[in-house]
């Protein structure tokens, strides 16, 4: 499955190829009308697609609609991407993951006090369901996914022409739960989330803190076998359609009737001591994670044999990134694991750093983790105190590992958070000793803006109330119901609301000013970095050329030396050949004179002057071999001349042929034949 983090930014070409014979030629008609759903005025784009272009299995001929709200020009991004679902270019799962990762979890949509995204996924009116984004974001999504040409009528129409457009008849299913504007509102969503967190985010008593609880010792094999059988069915069903809390409860009811719930809790399922929660976290199944914790089957702080928590199992694979539900699993269920160590004293930050050497999932997981940490002062304080500079069994911090992996993005994030580069490990190695810390580029990533802004607000809060007075925003606070009875109390509420709104506006303005100043600084640094990068690249190029030229020069020197040696040897051989001509008779006068006079030559063996005058031994051997061959040939010729038997036989054959006389009778005719010839 494609990662939602990679959908929408680099898929235009592939989408164009897939749609070359579908949406370009397949759209029969598009129309713009005005409509109202649950009291919300919208401009509606209706798209009719031909049967040939609809490649979904059901061949649904229902027209596709995309809505734009009149009041603020928000676009329904879910409906916009549904065009590609109808054409079978994307799946519903990919669209859901993209919206969850890149829209609902993207802080760019929450940059100021004005709401930047509306989650109407559960709206009572079906036509309004989906994720609504601002106009400019909708245009960007349409361009990224190459559906702008099909939907540009919706973007180009003027919302002020709402009354002039043709009316679309609709079944206005107005919600029975109050005003339509309240549907899917942020306040309602926040209440639901807060209720879920306050109910299920209990921090269990951990006598093994700061480590995870050790695996459970299996004492009753019968209950373990029953649980494994039931879990096998649950995981299989969840993989197909998803298992709800009630379904899981019903599956375990027979076991709870036969055994105590404590006996069935945290049963290890493999040799590593992994529990069902470890496996559910690995699969990123939010249904099973929530069900196992809700029913008390598993504790989120129970570790395996290595002391790894379910959160570590989750980040060691990419399933949570691909499904886009990591932030939900973390914030709702596995957040106690953020503060726990494994048996190697490694934190979740260590494991994310180790993951950076395998794939790009570390960026996604760390970004979501920091979004969870930084938006709460108490968590940020605890994170800096216990996690950021924590050392494992070898004394390495997460920064040590990031430097070892040479991951500049991760190094920069850790340094921005305040990681201590002067902390030595057990070998005495400090992060500040590495040159890579001086070669970190400026990166355009919203996480850096979030870190810097969070640190600034945190510092101001510490100055204002002190570290000891920073409260944990996760802890539920008691609320008192207030009954509004008089108009005066209503006015007071209005004033309080106006004051809060004014405070948020001022904070937003100040925040924007800080961001703008930081952006200007980043721009200046980017220009300087760009110039320095060009100079460095040119210097590297020149250095590379010089090295290549030096290598070529060394090669030429070696070749010249070889040629010189060859020439010297050739000259020596020529001089030897000129001095000693192998074709002329060779005589050594001193030896020849003595031997011709039968005098002894033994004393010449010790005569150095005589020995130096002799030709080289190879010349002498060559001449001796030549003379031996000549002597052998002469001896063979002499032998043939001395022996006349062969020649006599030949003459007899000639005479026999000429006289027509047998060979044996030739001897008798020789005398008469000789006389005849002489006469």
């Amino acid at each position: 499955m494609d990662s939602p983090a990679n959908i929408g930014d680099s898929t235009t070409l592939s989408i164009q190829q897939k749609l070359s014979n579908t949406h370009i030629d397949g759209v029969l008609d598009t129309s713009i009308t005005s409509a109202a759903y649950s009291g919300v005025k919208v401009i509606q784009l209706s798209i009719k697609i031909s049967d040939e272009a609809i490649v979904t299995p059901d061949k649904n001929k229902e027209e596709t609609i995309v809505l734009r709200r009149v009041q603020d020009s928000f676009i329904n991004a879910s409906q916009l991407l549904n065009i590609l679902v109808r054409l079978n270019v994307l799946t519903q799962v990919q669209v859901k993951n993209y919206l969850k990762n890149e829209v609902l979890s993207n802080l760019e949509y929450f940059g100021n006090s004005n709401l930047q995204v509306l989650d109407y996924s559960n709206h009572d009116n079906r036509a309004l369901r989906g994720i609504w984004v601002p106009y400019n974001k909708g245009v960007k999504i349409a361009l990224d996914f190459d559906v702008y040409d099909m939907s540009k009528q919706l973007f180009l129409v003027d919302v002020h022409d709402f009354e002039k457009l043709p009316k679309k008849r609709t079944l206005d299913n107005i919600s029975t739960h109050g005003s339509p504007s309240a549907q899917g509102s942020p306040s309602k969503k926040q209440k639901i989330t807060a209720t879920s967190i306050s109910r299920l985010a209990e921090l269990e008593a951990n006598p093994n803190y700061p480590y995870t609880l050790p695996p459970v010792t299996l004492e009753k094999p019968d209950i373990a076998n029953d649980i494994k059988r039931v879990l096998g069915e649950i995981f299989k069903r969840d993989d197909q359609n998803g298992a709800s809390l009630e379904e899981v409860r019903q599956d375990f009811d027979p076991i709870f009737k036969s055994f105590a719930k404590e006996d069935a809790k945290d049963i290890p399922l493999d040799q590593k001591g992994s529990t069902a929660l470890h496996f559910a976290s690995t699969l990123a199944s939010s249904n099973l994670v929530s069900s196992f914790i809700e029913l008390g089957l598993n504790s989120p702080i129970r570790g395996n044999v290595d002391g790894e928590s379910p959160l570590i199992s989750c980040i060691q694979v990419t399933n949570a990134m691909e499904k886009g539900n990591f932030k939900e699993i973390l914030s709702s269920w596995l957040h106690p694991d953020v503060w726990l160590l494994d048996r190697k004293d490694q934190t979740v930050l260590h494991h994310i750093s180790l993951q950076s050497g395998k794939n790009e999932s570390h960026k996604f997981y760390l970004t979501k983790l920091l979004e969870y940490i930084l938006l709460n002062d108490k968590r940020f304080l605890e994170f800096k105190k216990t996690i950021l500079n924590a050392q494992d069994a070898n004394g390495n911090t997460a920064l040590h590992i990031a430097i070892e992996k040479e991951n500049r993005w991760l190094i920069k994030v850790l340094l921005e958070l305040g990681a201590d580069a002067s902390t030595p490990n057990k070998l005495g190695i400090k992060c500040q000793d590495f040159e890579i810390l001086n070669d970190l580029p400026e990166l355009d990533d919203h996480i850096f803006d979030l870190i810097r802004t969070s640190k600034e607000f945190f510092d101001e809060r510490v100055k204002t109330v002190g570290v000891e007075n920073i409260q944990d925003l996760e802890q539920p606070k008691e609320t008192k119901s207030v009954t509004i009875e008089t108009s005066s109390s209503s006015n007071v509420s209005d004033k309080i609301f106006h004051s809060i709104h004014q405070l948020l506006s001022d904070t937003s303005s100040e925040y924007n000013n800080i961001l703008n100043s930081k952006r200007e600084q980043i721009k200046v640094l980017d220009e300087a970095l760009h110039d320095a990068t060009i100079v460095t690249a040119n210097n590297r190029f020149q250095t590379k050329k010089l090295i290549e030229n030096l290598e070529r020069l060394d090669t030429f020197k070696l070749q010249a030396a070889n040629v010189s040696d060859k020439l010297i040897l050739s000259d020596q051989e020529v001089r030897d050949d000129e001095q000693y001509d192998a074709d002329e008779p060779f005589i050594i006068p001193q030896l020849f004179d003595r031997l011709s006079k039968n005098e002894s030559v033994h004393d010449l063996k010790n005569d150095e002057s005589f020995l130096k005058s002799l030709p080289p031994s190879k010349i002498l051997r060559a001449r001796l071999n030549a003379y031996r061959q000549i002597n052998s040939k002469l001896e063979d010729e002499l032998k043939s001349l001395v022996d006349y038997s062969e020649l006599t036989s030949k003459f007899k054959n000639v005479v026999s042929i000429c006289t027509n006389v047998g060979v044996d009778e030739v001897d008798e005719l020789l005398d008469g034949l000789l006389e005849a010839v002489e006469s």
Side-chain angles (χ1 to χ4, degrees), residues 420-464:
D420 187 2
S422 62
T423 302
N425 61 13
K426 290 188 176 180
L427 297 177
I429 299 174
K430 300 179 180 179
C431 296
Q432 64 188 14
D433 297 333
F434 292 90
E435 292 293 333
I436 193 172
L437 296 185
N438 301 323
D439 189 28
L440 298 178
E442 287 292 334
L443 300 174
D444 186 14
D445 196 331
H446 80 279
I447 192 62
F448 295 107
D449 292 334
L450 175 63
I451 293 172
R452 293 161 189 161
T453 305
S454 299
K455 288 175 64 178
E456 290 177 1
F457 280 112
F458 176 79
D459 293 339
E460 290 296 328
R461 186 175 175 83
V462 170
K463 292 179 182 178
T464 304

Side-chain angles (χ1 to χ4, degrees), residues 247-287:
E247 290 174 339
V248 176
R249 190 196 307 275
Q250 292 174 5
D251 290 336
F252 275 95
D253 276 343
I255 296 178
F256 292 153
K257 291 178 180 179
S258 303
F259 301 94
K261 182 175 289 189
E262 288 300 320
D263 295 334
K265 188 173 184 179
D266 291 330
I267 295 296
L269 303 181
D270 60 7
Q271 297 297 325
K272 287 190 63 177
S274 301
T275 65
L277 186 58
H278 283 87
F279 286 101
S281 302
T282 301
L283 297 173
S285 174
S286 56
N287 295 332

